[in-house]
Amino acid sequence: GIRHTLTVQSRTTMMVNKTTYAAFLIAAICNGASAFAPPRHGTKISINRPVDTSSQSRQTSCLFMALDDAMKNRLDGIRRSYLTLTERLGDPDVISNSNLLRQVMKDRSQSEEVVLAFDEYCLLDTELVDATELFQEAGDDAEMREMARSEMKTIEAQLEELDSKITILLLPKDPNDDRNCMLEIRAGTGGSEANIFAGDLLDVYRKFMSTEGWQVNMMDYSAGDDGGYKNVVLEVRGDSVYSKLKWEAGVHRVQRVPATETQGRVHTSTATVAIMPECDEVDVKIDPKDIEMSTMRSGGAGGQNVNKVETAIDLTHKPTGIRIKCTQERSQLKNKVLAMKMLMAKLYDIENEKREAEERARRGDQIGSGGRSEKIRTYNWKDSRCSDHRLGQNFPLQSFLSGEVGPIIDGLIAKDQETKLRQLSEETSNF
């Protein structure tokens, strides 16, 4: 077999089980970084180890079996940072500051998954070394050798799976992925049918958001004359909302016979979906001089207050020409706050789209522009199919209309990860 060099001073021969692993993590959190300290460099110990009946072998080290030095250093750094943040959770100064505490908890949670995966990887690697030693010490005991061989194969499969998981977790992430967002659906070409289609998309997204357990609030809308919506804006709050919904941004096209069509002809209509990550004053600076604001009566349902008092806000951002009318609330102040919130989201979305376009141009991204002008999907009622043009794949239309957007989003996330992995591999080979 291939010789495997391990730089260790000592190692335990006891197999590590799930209980030991849990205890190890608890000790790490309580004792800080010292609990995760790697063994000191000592004598190099060589091990010859067969893996299967043909005596094929696989390289391994006590801590880093398939991870190179660069990956090891990066993971060690992430782990040290994670433990430092864990210790800060007990700091009285952090506990007394709710904003700081929330930020520390958020930063810690972002690295928690990769740290836990890496710890499990290290423990399994130790188990593999112990199983190898057991195999070698079994001698002529065929039953013991077979038991050790089976254990080695099982652990190797788990390590390979963890290796892939860690690699994906370390891929560059969109800094907006953990944010809440606003979802805007705007009817496009097609007249009344486009309005109805925009309403159909709204129903689909509401079902999907319900299954995800997200909180949804309708911030603004303009109803269509024959049903549906000319425009509707939702505020969506929950776990990693933007990371999933961002794949829905773009032009959605529908091909079907409208209810108002007497000749049975198929019409093509469109609706545009925009996904805007939530932001605040820190992310977007707005000069009050750039805003032109006026008030008006909301009208409609809501009693005499909305019909007699000017509670609605009509806001225009002069540099970009963005205009927002907000009539949702019964208070002028609340409508003003809501309008400013929508304006900040739109401005941040514009800047974010510019940054993403530059990044895609640099990477040569093949998944699509992600812009709202890109045609991303077609819904064909006659053939009962939903075609995503970025994936080049069809999905059952009825499943989509039932709110099953997840499989499409998962496919797009997987393709994005494959692209990043391929680019990472090319950059590494060219280095």
Side-chain angles (χ1 to χ4, degrees):
I2 301 174
R3 294 184 65 82
H4 303 274
T5 303
L6 309 179
T7 306
V8 296
Q9 187 175 30
S10 62
R11 68 170 183 269
T12 178
T13 57
M14 181 180 66
M15 302 297 287
V16 183
N17 56 28
K18 295 293 185 181
T19 304
T20 306
Y21 176 49
F24 181 80
L25 289 180
I26 294 172
I29 293 175
C30 296
N31 299 330
S34 60
F36 284 95
R40 296 178 181 177
H41 293 285
T43 308
K44 288 189 176 181
I45 304 172
S46 297
I47 294 177
N48 293 317
R49 160 175 77 78
V51 173
D52 53 28
T53 53
S54 61
S55 296
Q56 293 177 345
S57 59
R58 182 171 178 268
Q59 286 192 339
T60 181
S61 67
C62 184
L63 287 178
F64 311 106
M65 181 171 56
L67 305 177
D68 57 22
D69 289 340
M71 186 75 79
K72 173 189 71 173
N73 293 334
R74 184 178 180 186
L75 288 166
D76 271 337
I78 293 173
R79 187 162 57 184
R80 286 194 298 270
S81 176
Y82 173 80
L83 291 172
T84 299
L85 291 169
T86 301
E87 291 175 352
R88 290 192 68 190
L89 290 177
D91 188 338
D93 293 335
V94 175
I95 295 174
S96 61
N97 188 328
S98 60
N99 291 331
L100 181 57
L101 178 61
R102 185 163 52 250
Q103 185 61 47
V104 170
M105 292 178 65
K106 180 181 178 181
D107 292 342
R108 181 179 178 274
S109 66
Q110 289 176 347
S111 59
E112 184 172 26
E113 189 175 4
V114 68
V115 170
L116 294 180
F118 182 49
D119 291 338
E120 185 178 357
Y121 186 99
C122 295
L123 290 171
L124 282 172
D125 200 12
T126 302
E127 290 186 17
L128 183 58
V129 172
D130 293 335
T132 301
E133 188 174 83
L134 180 63
F135 178 90
Q136 293 175 332
E137 295 174 350
D140 296 331
D141 190 334
E143 183 178 352
M144 184 65 72
R145 287 172 65 87
E146 185 57 35
M147 182 180 71
R149 193 195 315 276
S150 175
E151 180 73 10
M152 289 156 58
K153 288 182 178 179
T154 301
I155 295 173
E156 285 177 341
Q158 293 173 328
L159 283 169
E160 288 177 2
E161 183 178 343
L162 276 172
D163 182 88
S164 299
K165 180 179 180 181
I166 290 172
T167 302
I168 290 175
L169 288 173
L170 291 177
L171 289 174
K173 293 184 178 179
D174 187 332
N176 294 315
D177 276 353
D178 293 328
R179 294 179 183 244
N180 299 318
C181 72
M182 292 185 190
L183 181 149
E184 180 183 43
I185 306 173
R186 186 179 294 274
T189 57
S192 297
E193 171 62 12
N195 297 338
I196 296 172
F197 177 50
D200 292 339
L201 287 177
L202 175 62
D203 292 339
V204 169
Y205 290 135
R206 275 179 162 169
K207 293 173 185 176
F208 174 65
M209 293 167 188
S210 177
T211 59
E212 292 290 320
W214 295 339
Q215 298 177 5
V216 183
N217 175 44
M218 184 176 286
M219 299 186 69
D220 191 26
Y221 71 91
S222 175
D225 297 333
D226 299 318
Y229 296 90
K230 296 177 181 177
N231 180 63
V232 59
V233 180
L234 300 180
E235 180 184 35
V236 190
R237 308 180 67 84
D239 183 31
S240 301
V241 169
Y242 183 77
S243 68
K244 296 182 180 180
L245 285 182
K246 66 180 180 181
W247 302 104
E248 293 302 300
V251 176
H252 297 243
R253 184 177 69 170
V254 61
Q255 295 175 327
R256 64 183 179 185
V257 179
T260 55
E261 172 59 49
T262 58
Q263 304 296 322
R265 291 173 296 186
V266 174
H267 287 223
T268 298
S269 304
T270 63
T272 301
V273 175
I275 307 296
M276 300 166 285
E278 185 182 62
C279 64
D280 51 34
E281 290 83 355
V282 177
D283 301 307
V284 178
K285 298 293 184 181
I286 300 177
D287 189 340
K289 297 178 182 178
D290 292 336
I291 295 177
E292 186 177 289
M293 188 180 302
S294 60
T295 60
M296 58 186 180
R297 297 176 185 176
S298 296
Q304 294 184 2
N305 183 68
V306 297
N307 288 290
K308 292 186 177 181
V309 181
E310 294 188 343
T311 59
I313 293 293
D314 186 354
L315 179 152
T316 301
H317 185 245
K318 289 183 282 188
T320 60
I322 295 175
R323 184 180 182 184
I324 297 174
K325 291 183 179 180
C326 200
T327 63
Q328 280 296 99
E329 303 293 340
R330 300 185 63 190
S331 159
Q332 184 184 115
L333 178 61
K334 289 182 179 180
N335 277 325
K336 181 179 178 180
V337 171
L338 201 58
M340 288 299 296
K341 189 173 183 179
M342 293 170 66
L343 175 61
M344 283 193 296
K346 286 179 178 290
L347 293 176
Y348 183 75
D349 182 51
I350 291 173
E351 292 301 317
N352 189 54
E353 192 169 353
K354 289 180 181 177
R355 288 193 297 268
E356 289 182 352
E358 292 172 356
E359 179 65 15
R360 281 190 297 269
R362 185 185 68 80
R363 293 186 304 165
D365 204 334
Q366 299 299 312
I367 299 183
S369 68
R372 60 188 67 186
S373 61
E374 178 193 11
K375 185 179 70 176
I376 64 168
R377 204 172 294 148
T378 296
Y379 309 90
N380 190 300
W381 249 249
K382 179 181 178 182
D383 298 331
S384 189
R385 72 167 183 265
C386 165
S387 304
D388 192 279
H389 305 301
R390 297 160 295 180
L391 290 173
Q393 186 177 349
N394 295 328
F395 297 85
L397 178 62
Q398 196 54 48
S399 297
F400 177 83
L401 295 176
S402 299
E404 296 179 20
V405 189
I408 304 177
I409 292 176
D410 291 342
L412 290 164
I413 292 174
K415 185 171 182 180
D416 181 53
Q417 291 173 347
E418 289 175 9
T419 302
K420 289 178 179 177
L421 284 170
R422 185 172 60 253
Q423 291 166 347
L424 181 63
S425 177
E426 292 173 354
E427 290 172 2
T428 304
S429 62
N430 294 331
F431 180 70

